Amino acid sequence: MPRAARPYDEPYPHPSGATPPDIPAQFVPNHVAIVMDGNGRWANARGLSRIEGHKEGEKSLLDVVAGAVQIGVKHVSAYAFSTENWKRSPEEVKFLLGFNRDVIRRRRDEMASWGVRIRWAGRRPKLWGSVIDELQRAEEMTKDNDRCTLTMCVNYGGRAEIADAAAAIARDAAEGKINPARVTEKTVQQYLDEPDLPDVDLFLRSSGEQRTSNFMIWQAAYAEMVFLPEPWPEVDRRHLWRAVEEFARRDRRYGGAVDTPGASA
């Protein structure tokens, strides 16, 4: 007998009254990866500290997750703290680590009520124990939610993830657990931070920069790219929905559209 659907709450409505576009489920991206860029520039343009920009970006993340739930995106991966972020000033690093920890603590109950599962991808070394504890607590608390999965990528880098996978494969090969001659792409996938995370369908970046910045370079090998001109604190669920519409338009099955080789966002 099939399990009854869980009774989740609906996300809070957008203040404008906007609702998601009517796009058939088969044309909605399953996995959206997001580079939340432009917090510092947004703050500097207003005479504020970079820290104030990061604070403002918290609202954007929550609203975009709400929009993902509403339109039917099953996976959202957010680039919250990269392995390169350690190069920033000690003050900003300290703030970012504490901020990521506190965002999860503040927002997990609300997102859990929507049916969001929270997961963590990233390296343990150097990461504060309190940050790891908060991420793992959120993972345990939301593990049974199945409406949307938010993967918080904290102390994460695409190259680091692949290097760590290669090191683990080498160790297992040396111990005779696997045959090096039979290592395939599927093998590498099994050694990534989240082996069951599906490939990225839509790669979304804010603030006008058009690069991946070492985010999910394995998973996003075939992703559609959409680059937003707005800095992250100005982004909300409506930007996600427009990106999903663009993703659907690029699918030649949708509305009779035809892909143009070499076309870019």
Side-chain angles (χ1 to χ4, degrees), residues 89-129:
S89 71
E91 294 78 15
E92 188 170 3
V93 168
K94 182 178 180 181
F95 170 80
L96 286 171
L97 291 177
F99 183 65
N100 278 295
R101 175 195 62 208
D102 296 342
V103 165
I104 294 300
R105 182 184 298 151
R106 281 193 295 267
R107 302 298 190 176
R108 70 181 179 205
D109 290 348
E110 184 172 15
M111 289 192 288
S113 74
W114 303 342
V116 175
R117 180 186 181 191
I118 299 171
R119 299 177 79 180
W120 165 44
R123 282 179 161 176
R124 282 178 173 268
K126 296 177 68 174
L127 195 56
W128 292 358

Short mmCIF file of all heavy atoms in Angstrom, two decimals, residues 89-129:
data_model
loop_
_atom_site.label_atom_id
_atom_site.label_comp_id
_atom_site.label_asym_id
_atom_site.label_seq_id
_atom_site.Cartn_x
_atom_site.Cartn_y
_atom_site.Cartn_z
N SER A 89 39.53 38.26 4.35
CA SER A 89 40.03 38.78 5.62
C SER A 89 39.56 37.90 6.77
O SER A 89 38.47 37.31 6.70
CB SER A 89 39.54 40.21 5.83
OG SER A 89 38.15 40.21 6.12
N PRO A 90 40.36 37.80 7.84
CA PRO A 90 39.95 36.98 9.00
C PRO A 90 38.58 37.39 9.55
O PRO A 90 37.80 36.54 9.97
CB PRO A 90 41.06 37.22 10.02
CG PRO A 90 42.26 37.59 9.20
CD PRO A 90 41.71 38.35 8.03
N GLU A 91 38.30 38.69 9.52
CA GLU A 91 37.02 39.18 10.04
C GLU A 91 35.85 38.65 9.20
O GLU A 91 34.83 38.22 9.75
CB GLU A 91 37.00 40.70 10.06
CG GLU A 91 37.98 41.34 11.03
CD GLU A 91 39.42 41.35 10.49
OE1 GLU A 91 39.60 41.12 9.27
OE2 GLU A 91 40.34 41.57 11.31
N GLU A 92 36.02 38.68 7.86
CA GLU A 92 34.93 38.23 7.00
C GLU A 92 34.78 36.71 7.08
O GLU A 92 33.65 36.20 7.09
CB GLU A 92 35.18 38.65 5.55
CG GLU A 92 33.99 38.36 4.65
CD GLU A 92 34.10 38.98 3.26
OE1 GLU A 92 35.14 39.60 2.96
OE2 GLU A 92 33.15 38.84 2.48
N VAL A 93 35.89 35.99 7.15
CA VAL A 93 35.82 34.53 7.29
C VAL A 93 35.08 34.16 8.57
O VAL A 93 34.19 33.30 8.58
CB VAL A 93 37.23 33.90 7.27
CG1 VAL A 93 37.17 32.44 7.72
CG2 VAL A 93 37.85 34.00 5.88
N LYS A 94 35.46 34.81 9.67
CA LYS A 94 34.81 34.53 10.94
C LYS A 94 33.32 34.80 10.86
O LYS A 94 32.50 34.01 11.36
CB LYS A 94 35.45 35.39 12.04
CG LYS A 94 34.86 35.15 13.43
CD LYS A 94 35.57 36.00 14.48
CE LYS A 94 34.99 35.77 15.88
NZ LYS A 94 35.66 36.62 16.90
N PHE A 95 32.96 35.93 10.24
CA PHE A 95 31.54 36.24 10.12
C PHE A 95 30.82 35.19 9.27
O PHE A 95 29.75 34.71 9.64
CB PHE A 95 31.33 37.62 9.50
CG PHE A 95 29.89 37.87 9.14
CD1 PHE A 95 28.98 38.25 10.12
CD2 PHE A 95 29.44 37.68 7.84
CE1 PHE A 95 27.64 38.43 9.81
CE2 PHE A 95 28.10 37.86 7.52
CZ PHE A 95 27.19 38.25 8.51
N LEU A 96 31.38 34.85 8.11
CA LEU A 96 30.72 33.93 7.19
C LEU A 96 30.49 32.56 7.82
O LEU A 96 29.42 31.96 7.65
CB LEU A 96 31.53 33.78 5.90
CG LEU A 96 31.47 34.97 4.93
CD1 LEU A 96 32.48 34.78 3.81
CD2 LEU A 96 30.06 35.13 4.37
N LEU A 97 31.47 32.06 8.55
CA LEU A 97 31.30 30.76 9.20
C LEU A 97 30.18 30.81 10.24
O LEU A 97 29.29 29.94 10.26
CB LEU A 97 32.61 30.31 9.83
CG LEU A 97 33.73 29.94 8.86
CD1 LEU A 97 35.00 29.59 9.61
CD2 LEU A 97 33.31 28.78 7.95
N GLY A 98 30.21 31.81 11.09
CA GLY A 98 29.16 31.95 12.08
C GLY A 98 27.80 32.22 11.45
O GLY A 98 26.78 31.71 11.91
N PHE A 99 27.81 32.99 10.38
CA PHE A 99 26.57 33.35 9.70
C PHE A 99 25.92 32.12 9.08
O PHE A 99 24.71 31.90 9.23
CB PHE A 99 26.86 34.40 8.63
CG PHE A 99 25.64 34.89 7.91
CD1 PHE A 99 24.65 35.59 8.57
CD2 PHE A 99 25.49 34.67 6.55
CE1 PHE A 99 23.52 36.06 7.90
CE2 PHE A 99 24.38 35.14 5.87
CZ PHE A 99 23.39 35.83 6.54
N ASN A 100 26.72 31.30 8.39
CA ASN A 100 26.16 30.08 7.79
C ASN A 100 25.58 29.16 8.85
O ASN A 100 24.51 28.58 8.69
CB ASN A 100 27.24 29.35 6.97
CG ASN A 100 27.41 29.95 5.60
OD1 ASN A 100 26.50 29.89 4.78
ND2 ASN A 100 28.56 30.51 5.32
N ARG A 101 26.29 29.05 9.97
CA ARG A 101 25.78 28.23 11.08
C ARG A 101 24.45 28.77 11.58
O ARG A 101 23.48 28.02 11.77
CB ARG A 101 26.82 28.24 12.20
CG ARG A 101 26.40 27.53 13.48
CD ARG A 101 27.31 27.92 14.62
NE ARG A 101 27.24 29.36 14.89
CZ ARG A 101 28.24 30.08 15.41
NH1 ARG A 101 29.39 29.52 15.71
NH2 ARG A 101 28.09 31.39 15.62
N ASP A 102 24.38 30.09 11.75
CA ASP A 102 23.18 30.69 12.34
C ASP A 102 22.01 30.74 11.37
O ASP A 102 20.85 30.66 11.78
CB ASP A 102 23.51 32.09 12.85
CG ASP A 102 24.55 32.07 13.98
OD1 ASP A 102 24.74 30.99 14.58
OD2 ASP A 102 25.17 33.11 14.23
N VAL A 103 22.30 30.86 10.07
CA VAL A 103 21.23 30.83 9.07
C VAL A 103 20.51 29.49 9.13
O VAL A 103 19.26 29.43 9.13
CB VAL A 103 21.77 31.08 7.65
CG1 VAL A 103 20.74 30.70 6.59
CG2 VAL A 103 22.15 32.55 7.49
N ILE A 104 21.27 28.40 9.18
CA ILE A 104 20.65 27.08 9.27
C ILE A 104 19.82 26.97 10.54
O ILE A 104 18.68 26.48 10.53
CB ILE A 104 21.74 25.99 9.23
CG1 ILE A 104 22.44 25.97 7.87
CG2 ILE A 104 21.13 24.62 9.52
CD1 ILE A 104 21.53 25.70 6.71
N ARG A 105 20.35 27.45 11.64
CA ARG A 105 19.63 27.37 12.92
C ARG A 105 18.33 28.19 12.86
O ARG A 105 17.28 27.74 13.34
CB ARG A 105 20.52 27.88 14.05
CG ARG A 105 19.87 27.79 15.43
CD ARG A 105 20.78 28.41 16.47
NE ARG A 105 22.05 27.72 16.56
CZ ARG A 105 23.20 28.29 16.92
NH1 ARG A 105 23.23 29.59 17.18
NH2 ARG A 105 24.30 27.58 17.00
N ARG A 106 18.41 29.39 12.26
CA ARG A 106 17.24 30.27 12.22
C ARG A 106 16.17 29.78 11.26
O ARG A 106 14.97 29.96 11.51
CB ARG A 106 17.66 31.69 11.79
CG ARG A 106 18.29 32.52 12.86
CD ARG A 106 18.37 33.98 12.43
NE ARG A 106 19.25 34.19 11.29
CZ ARG A 106 20.54 34.50 11.36
NH1 ARG A 106 21.11 34.63 12.55
NH2 ARG A 106 21.27 34.70 10.28
N ARG A 107 16.59 29.20 10.15
CA ARG A 107 15.66 28.93 9.06
C ARG A 107 15.23 27.48 8.90
O ARG A 107 14.33 27.18 8.13
CB ARG A 107 16.28 29.41 7.74
CG ARG A 107 16.66 30.87 7.70
CD ARG A 107 15.45 31.78 7.87
NE ARG A 107 15.80 33.18 7.61
CZ ARG A 107 14.91 34.18 7.60
NH1 ARG A 107 13.65 33.94 7.86
NH2 ARG A 107 15.31 35.43 7.35
N ARG A 108 15.90 26.57 9.63
CA ARG A 108 15.65 25.15 9.36
C ARG A 108 14.22 24.74 9.68
O ARG A 108 13.61 23.95 8.94
CB ARG A 108 16.64 24.28 10.13
CG ARG A 108 16.42 24.26 11.62
CD ARG A 108 17.43 23.42 12.37
NE ARG A 108 17.15 23.49 13.79
CZ ARG A 108 18.05 23.29 14.73
NH1 ARG A 108 19.29 23.02 14.39
NH2 ARG A 108 17.71 23.35 15.99
N ASP A 109 13.64 25.26 10.78
CA ASP A 109 12.29 24.86 11.15
C ASP A 109 11.28 25.28 10.09
O ASP A 109 10.37 24.52 9.74
CB ASP A 109 11.91 25.45 12.51
CG ASP A 109 12.67 24.82 13.66
OD1 ASP A 109 13.33 23.79 13.43
OD2 ASP A 109 12.63 25.37 14.78
N GLU A 110 11.44 26.51 9.60
CA GLU A 110 10.50 27.00 8.59
C GLU A 110 10.63 26.18 7.31
O GLU A 110 9.63 25.74 6.74
CB GLU A 110 10.77 28.48 8.29
CG GLU A 110 9.79 29.09 7.31
CD GLU A 110 9.94 30.59 7.19
OE1 GLU A 110 10.99 31.14 7.64
OE2 GLU A 110 9.03 31.23 6.65
N MET A 111 11.87 25.95 6.87
CA MET A 111 12.05 25.17 5.65
C MET A 111 11.60 23.73 5.84
O MET A 111 11.02 23.11 4.94
CB MET A 111 13.51 25.23 5.18
CG MET A 111 13.90 26.59 4.63
SD MET A 111 15.51 26.60 3.76
CE MET A 111 16.63 26.43 5.16
N ALA A 112 11.83 23.19 7.03
CA ALA A 112 11.38 21.82 7.31
C ALA A 112 9.86 21.72 7.20
O ALA A 112 9.33 20.72 6.72
CB ALA A 112 11.84 21.40 8.70
N SER A 113 9.15 22.75 7.64
CA SER A 113 7.69 22.73 7.56
C SER A 113 7.20 22.71 6.12
O SER A 113 6.08 22.26 5.85
CB SER A 113 7.10 23.94 8.31
OG SER A 113 7.28 25.14 7.57
N TRP A 114 8.04 23.20 5.20
CA TRP A 114 7.68 23.17 3.76
C TRP A 114 8.00 21.82 3.12
O TRP A 114 7.67 21.61 1.96
CB TRP A 114 8.45 24.24 2.99
CG TRP A 114 8.29 25.63 3.47
CD1 TRP A 114 7.30 26.13 4.26
CD2 TRP A 114 9.15 26.74 3.16
NE1 TRP A 114 7.50 27.48 4.47
CE2 TRP A 114 8.62 27.88 3.81
CE3 TRP A 114 10.31 26.89 2.41
CZ2 TRP A 114 9.22 29.14 3.72
CZ3 TRP A 114 10.92 28.13 2.32
CH2 TRP A 114 10.37 29.24 2.97
N GLY A 115 8.67 20.95 3.85
CA GLY A 115 9.07 19.66 3.29
C GLY A 115 10.47 19.66 2.71
O GLY A 115 10.82 18.79 1.91
N VAL A 116 11.30 20.63 3.13
CA VAL A 116 12.66 20.74 2.61
C VAL A 116 13.60 19.87 3.44
O VAL A 116 13.61 19.95 4.67
CB VAL A 116 13.15 22.20 2.63
CG1 VAL A 116 14.62 22.30 2.20
CG2 VAL A 116 12.28 23.06 1.71
N ARG A 117 14.38 19.09 2.76
CA ARG A 117 15.45 18.31 3.39
C ARG A 117 16.74 19.11 3.25
O ARG A 117 17.07 19.59 2.17
CB ARG A 117 15.60 16.96 2.69
CG ARG A 117 16.69 16.07 3.27
CD ARG A 117 16.86 14.82 2.42
NE ARG A 117 17.87 13.93 2.98
CZ ARG A 117 18.37 12.87 2.34
NH1 ARG A 117 17.92 12.58 1.12
NH2 ARG A 117 19.29 12.12 2.92
N ILE A 118 17.48 19.26 4.35
CA ILE A 118 18.72 20.03 4.34
C ILE A 118 19.90 19.07 4.42
O ILE A 118 19.93 18.16 5.26
CB ILE A 118 18.76 21.03 5.52
CG1 ILE A 118 17.60 22.02 5.40
CG2 ILE A 118 20.10 21.77 5.55
CD1 ILE A 118 17.42 22.90 6.63
N ARG A 119 20.88 19.27 3.52
CA ARG A 119 22.08 18.43 3.52
C ARG A 119 23.31 19.34 3.44
O ARG A 119 23.21 20.52 3.10
CB ARG A 119 22.06 17.46 2.34
CG ARG A 119 20.88 16.51 2.37
CD ARG A 119 20.83 15.61 1.17
NE ARG A 119 21.77 14.49 1.29
CZ ARG A 119 21.90 13.55 0.35
NH1 ARG A 119 21.18 13.62 -0.76
NH2 ARG A 119 22.76 12.56 0.52
N TRP A 120 24.45 18.74 3.72
CA TRP A 120 25.71 19.48 3.68
C TRP A 120 26.69 18.77 2.77
O TRP A 120 26.85 17.56 2.84
CB TRP A 120 26.30 19.59 5.09
CG TRP A 120 27.74 20.02 5.14
CD1 TRP A 120 28.32 21.03 4.42
CD2 TRP A 120 28.78 19.45 5.94
NE1 TRP A 120 29.66 21.13 4.74
CE2 TRP A 120 29.96 20.17 5.66
CE3 TRP A 120 28.83 18.41 6.87
CZ2 TRP A 120 31.18 19.87 6.28
CZ3 TRP A 120 30.03 18.12 7.48
CH2 TRP A 120 31.19 18.85 7.19
N ALA A 121 27.36 19.55 1.91
CA ALA A 121 28.47 19.05 1.10
C ALA A 121 29.67 19.95 1.38
O ALA A 121 29.54 21.17 1.43
CB ALA A 121 28.12 19.07 -0.39
N GLY A 122 30.83 19.35 1.58
CA GLY A 122 32.03 20.13 1.82
C GLY A 122 33.04 19.37 2.66
O GLY A 122 32.78 18.25 3.12
N ARG A 123 34.19 20.00 2.86
CA ARG A 123 35.28 19.39 3.62
C ARG A 123 35.16 19.69 5.11
O ARG A 123 34.78 20.79 5.50
CB ARG A 123 36.62 19.93 3.12
CG ARG A 123 37.12 19.32 1.82
CD ARG A 123 38.43 19.95 1.41
NE ARG A 123 39.17 19.12 0.45
CZ ARG A 123 40.30 19.48 -0.13
NH1 ARG A 123 40.84 20.66 0.15
NH2 ARG A 123 40.91 18.67 -0.97
N ARG A 124 35.54 18.73 5.93
CA ARG A 124 35.57 18.93 7.38
C ARG A 124 36.78 19.74 7.84
O ARG A 124 36.62 20.60 8.71
CB ARG A 124 35.57 17.58 8.10
CG ARG A 124 34.22 16.91 8.15
CD ARG A 124 34.32 15.56 8.83
NE ARG A 124 32.99 15.00 9.03
CZ ARG A 124 32.26 15.15 10.13
NH1 ARG A 124 32.75 15.88 11.13
NH2 ARG A 124 31.08 14.62 10.26
N PRO A 125 38.00 19.45 7.32
CA PRO A 125 39.18 20.16 7.84
C PRO A 125 39.01 21.68 7.80
O PRO A 125 38.50 22.23 6.82
CB PRO A 125 40.30 19.69 6.91
CG PRO A 125 39.87 18.33 6.46
CD PRO A 125 38.38 18.43 6.32
N LYS A 126 39.41 22.34 8.88
CA LYS A 126 39.36 23.79 9.07
C LYS A 126 37.97 24.30 9.44
O LYS A 126 37.85 25.37 10.00
CB LYS A 126 39.88 24.56 7.84
CG LYS A 126 41.33 24.32 7.53
CD LYS A 126 41.77 25.04 6.27
CE LYS A 126 41.79 26.55 6.44
NZ LYS A 126 42.35 27.23 5.27
N LEU A 127 36.93 23.56 9.10
CA LEU A 127 35.58 24.05 9.37
C LEU A 127 35.27 23.95 10.86
O LEU A 127 35.57 22.95 11.50
CB LEU A 127 34.56 23.23 8.57
CG LEU A 127 33.15 23.81 8.43
CD1 LEU A 127 33.17 25.20 7.82
CD2 LEU A 127 32.29 22.87 7.57
N TRP A 128 34.70 25.00 11.41
CA TRP A 128 34.37 25.04 12.83
C TRP A 128 33.49 23.85 13.22
O TRP A 128 32.55 23.49 12.50
CB TRP A 128 33.61 26.30 13.18
CG TRP A 128 34.38 27.56 13.07
CD1 TRP A 128 35.70 27.72 12.74
CD2 TRP A 128 33.86 28.88 13.30
NE1 TRP A 128 36.03 29.05 12.76
CE2 TRP A 128 34.93 29.78 13.10
CE3 TRP A 128 32.61 29.37 13.67
CZ2 TRP A 128 34.77 31.16 13.24
CZ3 TRP A 128 32.44 30.75 13.81
CH2 TRP A 128 33.52 31.62 13.60
N GLY A 129 33.76 23.29 14.39
CA GLY A 129 32.93 22.21 14.89
C GLY A 129 31.49 22.62 15.08
O GLY A 129 30.57 21.84 14.84
#
